[in-house]
Amino acid sequence: MTKRVIVMNFEVESQAYQAFSEIKKMALTGQIKGEQMAVVTHSSDGQHKFQIDDFLDFTGNNKASTGGLIGMLVGIFVGPLAMLLGWMGGSVIGATRDAKEVQNARDIFEFLLSNIGEGETGLILIADEEDNRPLNSLIINQLRGGVTRFDYEEVEAEIKKAKELEAEAKDKVKEAWAAKHQEDANTKADDTNAAKDPAEKSE
């Protein structure tokens, strides 16, 4: 079995919670070997951020919603990288909304932004599936939602890359901030010296 990150999107918010409940039952009967699952909402305040509204750790480790891959994935949207890459401006959302098919070059961050639209609620599941038909039947046939599967290791690599870029961005901002303060201090010192010169000459 291959571990996957499975993203499900729905037209109605209640369907995400219904799927959440039904997938728990599927895990109990062994149709899915789940690791983590979360109901996520894409904010409708224009900030395009995601938040976790319900969370389940199938492993019994009682991890918090912020722990593990789902928490890190959602956390990217509240970090500096999202703004630096223009995700919050809507340009990515508009472009990907026009594409009906998932392109190989499109990463999971862009996918989430475009397929769980502003104000909408979706479901993220990390699981192993021996047979994808039970989940497809539930989400596609019964709930009329969408299902897209990502390779776990590829998503993990995307998150790692995003975290590294965030760290670099923060370091650059700190350096720029320090340089700006030094520049302002030098300018202030020059202005002070210039103001003193006439007085010194008059003496």
Side-chain angles (χ1 to χ4, degrees), residues 2-3 19-20 34 40 42 49 57-58 70 74-75 78 81 93 104 115 120 124-125 140 143 146-147 167 174 190 201:
T2 302
K3 186 187 292 189
F20 186 88
V40 297
H42 184 168
K49 292 180 180 178
D57 180 1
F58 292 96
I70 292 178
V74 173
V78 297
L81 186 65
I93 297 168
N104 292 332
N115 285 269
E120 295 179 356
I124 301 176
L125 169 68
I140 299 172
L143 299 178
V147 181
K174 288 178 182 177
D190 290 342
K201 289 178 181 178

Side-chain angles (χ1 to χ4, degrees), residues 1-125:
M1 291 188 292
T2 302
K3 186 187 292 189
R4 300 201 181 279
V5 177
I6 306 169
V7 180
M8 292 151 275
N9 56 295
F10 309 89
E11 292 185 0
V12 181
E13 178 182 4
S14 61
Q15 292 173 326
Y17 288 95
Q18 184 178 349
F20 186 88
S21 178
E22 293 296 330
I23 291 171
K24 284 196 290 184
K25 296 176 184 176
M26 292 171 65
L28 289 174
T29 59
Q31 296 179 74
I32 285 179
K33 185 180 179 183
E35 184 173 303
Q36 290 185 343
M37 179 169 61
V39 175
V40 297
T41 298
H42 184 168
S43 69
S44 58
D45 57 4
Q47 297 300 309
H48 300 295
K49 292 180 180 178
F50 283 72
Q51 66 180 30
I52 295 175
D53 293 328
D54 207 347
F55 178 81
L56 175 64
D57 180 1
F58 292 96
T59 66
N61 292 326
N62 295 320
K63 288 183 180 178
S65 61
T66 53
L69 186 132
I70 292 178
M72 289 189 290
L73 177 62
V74 173
I76 297 296
F77 292 104
V78 297
L81 186 65
M83 186 166 291
L84 288 171
L85 292 180
W87 290 345
M88 304 303 109
S91 59
V92 168
I93 297 168
T96 53
R97 277 271 185 203
D98 294 337
K100 300 301 182 184
E101 297 182 0
V102 180
Q103 301 171 5
N104 292 332
R106 204 160 108 199
D107 62 36
I108 191 167
F109 304 114
E110 292 179 355
F111 180 85
L112 287 173
L113 283 168
S114 62
N115 285 269
I116 301 177
E118 191 173 1
E120 295 179 356
T121 300
L123 195 61
I124 301 176
L125 169 68

